[in-house]
Amino acid sequence: MRRFFFVSCLTLFAISPASADITHRIQSSISLTVDGAASQANRIGSTLAVSGSNVTLGTAPSLGTLTPGSAVGYTPGAYSVTTAGDAFSYSESFIEGDATPSATAVSSGVVGSLPMLGDTMTQSGGVAGTLAGTISTGGALTITAGGAGTSAIGQVIQELTVK
């Protein structure tokens, strides 16, 4: 019986093969970015404000017609003190608004000239310069810095799964 048990155990181990699932995954990437130029411009309107006390209006201040490339035609007001010898205050302020700009045109992804208005924010574009990145077959990253407004990100992910 011992022989039979020993032989059957040997046969059982010899028949059942070892099974294991092994998965190896390699993922690599490099992202190179150069910022684009941007401009945002908002027109401001013309404003005229007058305030005062103990003053008499002689001629009212006025705004003329706003035409592209020329001033609005502001005429200041004329005032006189109402009661001589008494305290008085007077304030008049004027802000010249923006004329209507010509439309901007985009050619080959570039705006030839940007409008300059009363409220303008402009951001210069990035300069690629020597910006570069490579990944060798061994997984080594090589990233070369670029100019202003650039970024480079590289990664290599290796995953080994044994079940």
Side-chain angles (χ1 to χ4, degrees), residues 87-110:
F88 72 95
S89 68
Y90 172 74
S91 173
E92 186 172 321
S93 67
F94 165 68
I95 296 176
E96 171 96 27
D98 295 316
T100 305
S102 59
T104 56
V106 178
S107 175
S108 300
V110 176

Side-chain angles (χ1 to χ4, degrees), residues 7-137:
V7 171
S8 63
C9 284
L10 283 177
T11 307
L12 180 66
F13 289 123
I15 294 174
S16 62
S19 64
D21 291 334
I22 299 176
T23 305
H24 183 225
R25 184 173 71 99
I26 300 173
Q27 180 181 358
S28 57
S29 66
I30 288 185
S31 172
L32 306 173
T33 305
V34 178
D35 293 342
S39 181
Q40 178 179 341
N42 298 309
R43 285 180 63 199
I44 60 170
S46 295
T47 60
L48 172 64
V50 177
S51 65
S53 63
N54 193 26
V55 291
T56 303
L57 174 62
T59 305
S62 64
L63 298 178
T65 304
L66 183 63
T67 57
S70 66
V72 76
Y74 164 69
T75 305
Y79 301 88
S80 61
V81 175
T82 305
T83 306
D86 286 353
F88 72 95
S89 68
Y90 172 74
S91 173
E92 186 172 321
S93 67
F94 165 68
I95 296 176
E96 171 96 27
D98 295 316
T100 305
S102 59
T104 56
V106 178
S107 175
S108 300
V110 176
V111 176
S113 79
L114 299 172
M116 293 301 295
L117 299 175
D119 179 12
T120 304
M121 194 249 346
T122 302
Q123 172 183 322
S124 64
V127 179
T130 58
L131 180 65
T134 59
I135 302 174
S136 72
T137 55

